[in-house]
Amino acid sequence: MRTAAGKISFAALSVLYPGLIFCGLCFWGLRPRVLSIALLAIAFFNLVALLKTAGRGRKQALKSSLLFFFALACGLFAFATDNILSLKFYPVTVSVGLLALFGSTLAFGPSLVFRLACLGDKTLKNSAQRQFVEPYCTKVTIVWCAFFVFNGSIAAYTCFAGSDKLWALYNGLISYILMGILFASEFIIRKIVQKKMIQYKYISTFSRDSRAADSIFAFDGNGDRNIKTWADFTADVSKVRQEIEAGPQKAWLLNFEDSYYFMVALVAVMQGGKAAKISANRSQEFIKEICTEGVSFLTDIPADGATLIQDVIEKHEDDGKWVMFDPKSSDVDMYTSGTTGKPKISPKKFIQLEDEVNEFATQFLEKYDHAYVVRTVNHHHIFGLTFSLLLALMSGAPFRRNTVEFPEELKALKAHRLVIVASPAFLKRLAGGKNEPVDFAETPFILSAGGLLPEDAAAETEKILKYWPTEIYGSTETGCMAHRQSKNGPLYKPFPHNVITLTQDGCLHVESPYIYDEGGFSTADLVKLEEDGRFTLLGRIDSIVKIEEKRISLPEVEMRLRQTGLVQDVRVIAMAGKRQYLAAAIALNCDGKEKFKDAAKLEMNKFFRNFLSQYLESTVIPKRWRFPERLPQDAMGKIKTADIKALFEDSQEDPNYKIHNADVQGNAATIEIEIPETSDFYNGHFDTFKLLPAVVQVNFVMKLAHKYLGTSLSMQKIQRTKFTSPILPDTRILLDLNYDKDTGRIAFCFRNAEGKKYSSGTIKIGTEV
């Protein structure tokens, strides 16, 4: 490394060079051959710099090489010819050299200014914020190139046409003043741009002043109520962190209704050096299974043995600290339920979540700029957590504290720029209903994940919400792998750092920086992989079945049924009887409901069979059909095979009642039932005023608890009942069931969608059936 004295001497010589040449010629009477020593000295300093920076980067080597070459050439020419022109031409060669250096990076990228910015912030190169910083740096590089053209032109003019005084004045003073003005102007503009630019950071690198204290962090309702600021968040994290640090627990199970409290708890647990266990399942049996020794339950809803976060916040005072944590050693366990419905654990490090968010943000971060984030999915699932909460926090976008349940709620937010994190189930309901277009002030950005979104549902979503949803393909184990908009075709485009290959079975295999399993992760999804890396989903490997020795793809049958234009949702499954056959469950859209509103089920069966006969052999056309109002699905819109099979359990559909939907979560279920006026349940009791008898309601509780919650015990006694309102014919009712295996009690409530109660109570079960 050059000494400080050497650096000062070199800088002084370079800056004072024009004045030195002018004084040497006009006042000291020195010949050009003598003055050429100054250029040779500059060449020597650049040679030393070139040798010292060998192997440290091409940019510095190229710069030193150009300056050495130009200084040496001009110096030797002046010494050999004793000509003043070669001495005066050196400033021109410097501008030409710097123009070549800056311009070459524009041609081959990235720009020189961006490379210099990366030296100051080593995380910038791989950060999602690069998509904002790099274009700005490119513009600055172009401005400098234009300056070098201008400066070199003026320098050339003073060299060939100007007097010695004009040459010395411009090259020794004016050019430096212009350069300083350019530096100062760029600095001021950069600060203005930075204030407008989205400030994206990893959560683990946050400090207490990473955001403005009064900036909106989370909101409720339409964005104007129950607002929480960054100051509120940092204070509440401090309070909860103190509780986490003081306790002996090694891990905390987190389950919250309020997304704000959830994020406070998650960050506080990470700062407290403990592990976080995240699950949407809050049944007592599940909590007991997880909350073993060393694990406690933190929530915002009262529950046996749980710690309420509201009490913790009330208990402590803000200590003013913000604790950074190591994301590589911070554990976050995600509990999920697969298609079998059995919960499973997916262990992660917090850095994997941050890296996954960063991968997505490299493509879509600008969509979160000055946006409000709302969600229709549960924030305990990986999709809701990463895209509606973590990315919102990392980009400074406010998020809604509670879930959007109905499309009408979006109208209250139409004045804001929105990011809508939705499940396919929500968008299919939106598309299948009679919803008027929402007059958004600015087009929203809509994400969908958790399953395939039918193209007709995506098209209808665009009509209503003004944006064709961007679908994300991924899983809890892999994170986000690829994305698409189905209006552009069925192909998914992988995110930049995901490497997609095929297994021997033709299933998708992925390797990425945020999958730590050695060798990556193999899915059960069959895909067709294109040469450019894009791919088409062909269904799961277990979706290929043999019927009468003929291989058939279940997704293909579902796709054909969608082509009728009458289907909102469909699932085809293989059933086993004397021989294997197919069964189809179809939820009709508005057109389908209109077409078949007066049709018998036999007529509906015949229509769909005839339609499929155009494409499929008769042996693989479904033999059994069900037409529920909605297909049974969980909170993320995933349809489980077991729930579809349950629709076909009875040899024939019961004419006395119809189950439209069943939402089962662990030991709790909500079943939507309709009992027609023609039902036998209304006969023989109150002929002049038909209502559903209490004995029938109790029978429903026992029968449906057995079907959906797996109870196999008979009723011992009815411990408590309350009949509030009569259930009249053709009333759409909801039955809430909660089964406590430890006490053998089934709590039930008959109500309508608006919350009006018809009856409720508790039944004690005991003896084996």
Side-chain angles (χ1 to χ4, degrees), residues 621-762:
I621 293 177
K623 299 294 188 291
R624 299 181 66 189
W625 304 81
R626 290 289 185 270
F627 299 94
E629 187 78 11
R630 295 197 302 270
L631 297 190
Q633 51 196 259
D634 62 16
M636 278 296 293
K638 292 184 178 180
I639 300 173
K640 300 170 184 176
T641 302
D643 293 336
I644 298 298
K645 284 185 176 180
L647 298 175
F648 296 90
E649 283 182 352
D650 299 328
S651 59
Q652 59 182 10
E653 293 177 327
D654 195 325
N656 290 311
Y657 68 95
K658 182 176 182 180
I659 294 179
H660 291 286
N661 187 49
D663 182 12
V664 181
Q665 298 287 340
N667 291 326
T670 297
I671 302 116
E672 188 175 1
I673 312 167
E674 185 175 5
I675 306 173
E677 185 176 8
T678 56
S679 172
D680 293 338
F681 295 148
Y682 290 113
N683 295 332
H685 294 277
F686 305 97
D687 294 332
T688 58
F689 183 74
K690 292 186 176 183
L691 55 81
L692 192 67
V695 65
V696 174
Q697 297 182 40
V698 173
N699 183 60
F700 264 126
V701 171
M702 295 302 298
K703 182 175 182 177
L704 297 181
H706 174 70
K707 180 175 182 177
Y708 292 106
L709 301 182
T711 60
S712 58
L713 305 176
S714 60
M715 180 174 61
Q716 287 186 336
K717 63 179 179 178
I718 300 176
Q719 293 187 322
R720 177 184 61 83
T721 56
K722 184 177 182 181
F723 297 93
T724 309
S725 300
I727 299 177
L728 305 178
D730 296 322
T731 300
R732 188 75 64 90
I733 56 177
L734 296 173
L735 171 58
D736 296 325
L737 297 174
N738 283 278
Y739 175 44
D740 188 336
K741 184 180 290 186
D742 294 335
T743 61
R745 291 183 175 88
I746 301 173
F748 71 90
C749 176
F750 286 91
R751 60 180 176 85
N752 64 12
E754 288 72 38
K756 175 185 177 182
K757 287 186 179 181
Y758 299 110
S759 63
S760 60
T762 303

Side-chain angles (χ1 to χ4, degrees), residues 490-492 494 500 502 527-536:
L491 291 172
Y492 281 90
I500 305 296
L502 296 181
V527 302
K528 178 183 178 183
L529 187 61
E530 306 294 335
E531 291 183 359
D532 62 0
R534 295 183 298 166
F535 60 88
T536 306

Side-chain angles (χ1 to χ4, degrees), residues 266 278 332 334 348-358 382 385-386 390 394 514:
L266 178 60
I278 300 173
V332 180
M334 303 289 297
K348 291 180 178 290
K349 298 295 184 182
F350 196 83
I351 187 65
Q352 289 176 269
L353 298 175
E354 289 184 316
D355 285 344
E356 180 191 344
V357 171
N358 187 68
I382 189 70
L385 172 62
T386 53
L390 295 184
M394 292 164 70
Y514 45 85

Side-chain angles (χ1 to χ4, degrees), residues 459-473:
E460 191 65 24
T461 298
E462 184 183 37
K463 292 180 182 178
I464 299 171
L465 301 182
K466 311 303 182 185
Y467 181 84
W468 191 293
T470 294
E471 294 178 69
I472 305 298
Y473 170 67

Side-chain angles (χ1 to χ4, degrees), residues 486-721:
S486 54
K487 68 178 180 180
N488 300 322
L491 291 172
Y492 281 90
K493 181 181 179 181
F495 286 100
H497 294 98
N498 286 277
V499 178
I500 305 296
T501 56
L502 296 181
T503 65
Q504 291 182 345
D505 296 328
C507 292
L508 184 146
H509 179 83
V510 59
E511 296 181 45
S512 79
Y514 45 85
I515 298 178
Y516 289 175
D517 294 340
E518 186 175 353
F521 185 87
S522 295
T523 72
D525 294 324
L526 296 166
V527 302
K528 178 183 178 183
L529 187 61
E530 306 294 335
E531 291 183 359
D532 62 0
R534 295 183 298 166
F535 60 88
T536 306
L537 291 176
L538 302 177
R540 294 180 62 82
I541 193 170
D542 55 6
S543 68
I544 307 297
V545 298
K546 272 192 175 183
I547 304 295
E548 300 286 343
E549 303 305 317
K550 299 181 185 297
R551 289 171 60 86
I552 183 69
S553 167
L554 301 182
E556 179 186 355
V557 181
E558 294 169 357
M559 180 268 292
R560 294 300 183 187
L561 289 170
R562 292 184 189 280
Q563 288 179 344
T564 63
L566 306 174
V567 175
Q568 178 180 327
D569 210 352
V570 59
R571 179 56 58 91
V572 176
I573 60 173
M575 301 284 287
K578 292 181 179 179
R579 62 177 64 90
Q580 196 172 41
Y581 62 92
L582 298 186
I586 297 174
L588 299 172
N589 60 20
C590 292
D591 292 338
K593 292 174 183 177
E594 179 66 26
K595 179 177 178 64
F596 297 116
K597 65 179 179 180
D598 297 320
K601 181 174 179 293
L602 184 62
E603 183 181 341
M604 299 168 67
N605 295 355
K606 183 178 180 180
F607 172 86
F608 287 106
R609 284 197 193 102
N610 289 340
F611 183 85
L612 288 180
S613 66
Q614 302 175 76
Y615 308 99
L616 305 175
E617 297 182 37
S618 60
T619 54
V620 297
I621 293 177
K623 299 294 188 291
R624 299 181 66 189
W625 304 81
R626 290 289 185 270
F627 299 94
E629 187 78 11
R630 295 197 302 270
L631 297 190
Q633 51 196 259
D634 62 16
M636 278 296 293
K638 292 184 178 180
I639 300 173
K640 300 170 184 176
T641 302
D643 293 336
I644 298 298
K645 284 185 176 180
L647 298 175
F648 296 90
E649 283 182 352
D650 299 328
S651 59
Q652 59 182 10
E653 293 177 327
D654 195 325
N656 290 311
Y657 68 95
K658 182 176 182 180
I659 294 179
H660 291 286
N661 187 49
D663 182 12
V664 181
Q665 298 287 340
N667 291 326
T670 297
I671 302 116
E672 188 175 1
I673 312 167
E674 185 175 5
I675 306 173
E677 185 176 8
T678 56
S679 172
D680 293 338
F681 295 148
Y682 290 113
N683 295 332
H685 294 277
F686 305 97
D687 294 332
T688 58
F689 183 74
K690 292 186 176 183
L691 55 81
L692 192 67
V695 65
V696 174
Q697 297 182 40
V698 173
N699 183 60
F700 264 126
V701 171
M702 295 302 298
K703 182 175 182 177
L704 297 181
H706 174 70
K707 180 175 182 177
Y708 292 106
L709 301 182
T711 60
S712 58
L713 305 176
S714 60
M715 180 174 61
Q716 287 186 336
K717 63 179 179 178
I718 300 176
Q719 293 187 322
R720 177 184 61 83
T721 56

Side-chain angles (χ1 to χ4, degrees), residues 420-442:
I420 304 173
V421 182
S423 66
F426 178 87
L427 297 178
K428 285 186 285 190
R429 290 198 301 272
L430 175 78
K434 297 179 179 180
N435 293 288
E436 295 294 326
V438 180
D439 185 23
F440 288 110
E442 188 173 346

